[in-house]
């Protein structure tokens, strides 16, 4: 048995985090690989119009948004693995449908079905079941990195695969990755004892209404919606701009995305470090949104050469990567104690809605107003986002902890008030059903060991 308080992840926790990160990566790879190629190769499909290409790009977001939270709730009832297996099979079926399609409507139907395999919440919940609370942030970070990496790989591999095997080959590869995900869950991810009920990993009905009324959480939900809407709409237009205005044949687009993603990844790191160390994440967020806005205007007014387009895409991805990495961290900082799982569920739903909205509006704008219209639409959305983000408060620099309570601590009516009076504790809530307390804490002011000693000693002191 491993020490429950060990500061190192056990081998089973490492396998769980690594295996589930791979499942996430393969699935997101399948979602993202079509982005750089659908606008160019998709025009060869029967019945294609720019508006329908946009719908095909964003269609998966519609079913993801609708089914994300329900799949998570079902996984609480029947177990995580059955939901994950069914979701991956649905995703594979959608990929096969799109691979066999010779019309744009067949690809749209395939993308809708892909999105119906909405397993994100179930995967995150399984990860929480299989990791101890003090290692959960590390495990979640591994999944976050796998999503970022899969996006980067997709931007490069998508064009190369499509160049070699066509669009149908791309979708067949996606189906294979979904089936590989099933094998990973069955063979690598350790078996769990069953769903654990804890509010940091899943949607809690009691926390839903407070989350939907929380001003700063709603600002962050709008932020991820706008970010993914801008991404999807831009990818209706950018591949076409590279061909029409940059003179770059579609088979060569991969090197543009590879350059942009490598520079963008390393370019964002100093800003993340500055924001966290100096506690200036709001300033970093506002700066990145402003850069996105300027990139879209750059594409409108200066994007008439390959050099200018590549420069704009590099800067765009630096700002995008920075926002994609920092927004989930801001949600976990801002969410009330015991509300992080619910806040992340609403946040993910907003992300997929943004993807759907961006693809659909991007295609419609391109069909009716042209490339410039898409970029101006994206710039307008960034301007609205900036106006909303300015009103956000600086987030509290706190970490979420979940500590188990024994019967004596549960009976201690003054526990929450005493903890809240401790310097560095921002919020605390006892959940009797789980025999646990959720605490939001500034780890620079108070550590976990001190909090545990306060919880253990307080009831004993009360009985003296």
């Amino acid at each position: 048995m491993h020490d429950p308080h060990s500061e190192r992840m056990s081998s089973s926790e490492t396998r769980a985090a690594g295996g589930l990160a791979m499942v996430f990566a393969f699935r997101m790879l399948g979602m993202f690989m079509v982005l750089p190629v659908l606008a160019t190769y998709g025009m060869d499909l029967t019945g294609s119009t720019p508006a329908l290409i946009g719908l095909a790009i964003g269609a998966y977001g519609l079913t993801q948004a609708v089914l994300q939270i329900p799949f998570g709730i079902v996984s609480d009832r029947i177990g995580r693995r059955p939901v994950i297996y069914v979701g991956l099979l649905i995703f594979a079926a959608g990929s096969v449908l799109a691979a066999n399609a010779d019309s744009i409507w067949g690809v749209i139907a395939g993308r809708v079905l892909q999105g119906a395999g909405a397993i994100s919440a179930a995967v995150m919940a399984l990860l929480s079941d299989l990791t101890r609370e003090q290692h959960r942030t590390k495990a979640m970070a591994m999944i976050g990195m796998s999503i970022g990496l899969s996006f980067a790989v997709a931007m490069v591999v998508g064009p190369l695969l499509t160049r070699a095997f066509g669009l149908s080959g791309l979708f067949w590869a996606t189906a294979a990755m979904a089936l590989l995900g099933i094998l990973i869950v069955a063979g690598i991810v350790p078996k769990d004892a069953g769903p654990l009920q804890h509010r940091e990993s899943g949607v809690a009905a009691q926390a839903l209404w407070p989350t939907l009324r929380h001003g700063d959480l709603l600002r962050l939900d709008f932020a991820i919606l706008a970010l993914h809407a801008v991404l999807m709409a831009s990818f209706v237009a950018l591949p076409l701009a590279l061909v029409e205005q940059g003179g770059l044949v579609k088979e060569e687009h991969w090197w543009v995305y590879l350059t942009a993603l490598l520079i963008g990844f390393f370019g964002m790191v100093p800003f993340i470090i500055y924001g966290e160390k100096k506690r200036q994440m709001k300033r970093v967020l506002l700066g990145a949104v402003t850069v996105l806005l300027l990139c879209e205007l750059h594409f409108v007014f200066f994007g008439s050469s390959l050099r200018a387009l590549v420069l704009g895409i590099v800067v765009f991805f630096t700002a995008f990567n920075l926002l994609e990495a920092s927004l989930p961290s801001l949600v976990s900082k801002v969410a009330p104690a015991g509300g992080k799982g619910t806040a992340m569920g609403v946040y993910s739903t907003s992300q997929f809605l943004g993807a759907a909205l961006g693809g659909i509006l991007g295609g419609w704008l391109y069909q009716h107003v042209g490339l410039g219209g898409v970029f101006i639409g994206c710039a307008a959305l960034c301007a609205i986002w900036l106006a909303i983000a300015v009103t956000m408060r600086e987030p509290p620099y706190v970490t979420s902890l979940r500590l188990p309570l024994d019967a004596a601590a549960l009976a201690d009516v003054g526990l929450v008030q005493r903890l809240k009076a401790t310097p560095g504790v921002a919020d605390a809530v006892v959940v009797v059903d789980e025999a646990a307390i959720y605490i939001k804490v500034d780890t620079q002011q108070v550590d976990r060991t001190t909090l545990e000693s306060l919880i253990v000693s307080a009831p004993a002191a009360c009985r003296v």
Side-chain angles (χ1 to χ4, degrees):
M1 283 293 290
H2 52 255
D3 175 5
H5 300 292
S6 167
E7 288 309 306
R8 295 185 62 180
M9 290 177 79
S10 68
S11 60
S12 69
E13 285 175 318
T14 306
R15 276 171 52 214
L20 292 173
M22 284 167 67
V23 171
F24 239 110
F26 285 143
R27 188 171 151 280
M28 299 313 278
L29 204 54
M31 292 292 191
F32 290 141
M33 278 198 303
V34 301
L35 281 189
V37 297
L38 208 50
T40 46
Y41 286 85
M43 290 309 286
D44 298 334
L45 293 164
T46 306
S48 272
T49 65
L52 291 178
I53 291 285
L55 178 58
I57 286 175
Y60 82 93
L62 290 170
T63 38
Q64 281 275 7
V66 171
L67 295 172
Q68 165 97 344
I69 290 176
F71 266 46
I73 292 169
V74 170
S75 80
D76 289 339
R77 303 265 170 83
I78 68 168
R80 317 295 187 203
R81 285 170 191 269
V83 169
I84 293 170
Y85 292 147
V86 168
L88 286 169
L89 285 171
I90 291 171
F91 183 82
S95 303
V96 170
L97 179 60
N100 287 300
D102 53 9
S103 76
I104 189 65
W105 287 108
V107 171
I108 290 168
R111 292 284 282 170
V112 168
L113 193 54
Q114 278 186 329
I119 58 166
S120 301
V123 170
M124 294 304 248
L126 180 58
L127 184 68
S128 291
D129 295 343
L130 293 169
T131 51
R132 286 165 292 162
E133 188 277 326
Q134 65 265 38
H135 299 306
R136 205 157 291 138
T137 304
K138 250 183 286 184
M140 298 284 185
M142 286 174 70
I143 289 208
M145 286 167 61
S146 80
I147 294 170
L149 188 63
S150 68
F151 179 75
V153 171
M155 291 296 103
V156 179
V157 171
L160 290 173
L161 261 179
T162 312
R163 175 184 178 175
F165 304 107
L167 262 184
S168 67
L170 182 75
F171 284 117
W172 279 116
T174 299
M177 284 187 287
L179 298 176
L180 190 55
I182 292 174
L183 295 177
I184 290 168
V185 175
I188 295 177
V189 176
K191 299 292 183 279
D192 54 299
L196 299 178
Q197 300 301 321
H198 44 80
R199 294 184 174 201
E200 299 291 73
S201 63
V203 174
Q206 313 92 302
L208 194 54
W209 182 237
T211 299
L212 294 173
R213 290 174 55 220
H214 194 296
D216 281 341
L217 283 177
L218 289 175
R219 287 178 180 87
L220 292 169
D221 293 335
F222 181 81
I224 195 65
L225 183 147
L227 181 65
H228 278 257
V230 166
L231 176 72
M232 294 298 163
S234 295
F235 267 100
V236 171
L238 282 173
L240 295 165
L242 285 170
V243 173
E244 293 173 19
Q245 293 167 201
L248 187 68
V249 293
K250 60 190 179 184
E251 289 80 12
E252 297 297 324
H253 287 193
W254 65 271
W255 69 259
V256 176
Y257 302 124
L258 178 61
T259 306
L261 284 156
L262 283 175
I263 296 173
F265 177 77
F266 291 108
M268 75 164 180
V269 174
F271 297 102
I272 293 270
I273 293 170
Y274 166 78
E276 289 288 353
K277 292 272 189 207
K278 302 289 186 185
R279 301 198 162 188
Q280 293 286 347
M281 283 308 297
K282 180 180 175 182
R283 180 182 291 180
V284 169
L285 177 77
L286 293 176
V289 178
T290 304
V291 170
L292 271 191
L293 169 57
L294 293 174
C295 283
E296 297 295 342
L297 294 175
H298 169 84
F299 293 137
V300 176
F301 297 110
F302 305 105
S304 53
S305 71
L306 182 59
R307 181 178 294 178
L309 283 169
V310 171
L311 175 66
I313 291 170
V314 166
V315 178
F316 175 92
F317 272 115
T318 305
F320 173 82
N321 287 338
L322 176 55
L323 288 161
E324 185 80 354
S326 56
L327 284 172
S329 158
L330 288 171
V331 172
S332 65
K333 285 178 169 65
V334 169
K340 188 170 82 173
T342 306
M344 287 307 297
V346 175
Y347 172 88
S348 294
T349 300
S350 305
Q351 175 180 329
F352 291 124
L353 276 175
L357 188 72
I360 293 164
L361 285 181
W364 186 88
L365 283 169
Y366 176 63
Q367 187 161 323
H368 293 91
V369 202
L371 285 176
V374 179
F375 296 131
I376 288 169
C378 289
L381 185 53
C382 288
I384 296 167
W385 177 6
L386 194 56
I388 290 171
V390 165
T391 64
M392 182 180 144
R393 291 169 295 184
E394 188 70 43
Y397 289 85
V398 290
T399 301
S400 302
L401 294 179
R402 177 186 184 272
L403 301 177
L405 298 179
D406 60 19
L410 279 171
D412 179 16
V413 291
L415 177 62
V416 168
Q417 283 69 27
R418 268 197 312 280
L419 282 171
K420 283 185 175 179
T422 306
V425 175
D427 194 12
V429 62
V430 171
V431 181
V432 177
D433 295 350
E434 299 178 27
I437 186 167
Y438 291 91
I439 309 171
K440 305 283 286 193
V441 56
D442 182 343
T443 51
Q444 287 186 10
Q445 294 187 54
V446 62
D447 61 15
R448 181 193 181 94
T449 310
T450 305
L451 292 170
E452 286 176 338
S453 65
L454 278 170
I455 290 168
V456 170
S457 63
C462 291
R463 289 193 296 266
V464 171

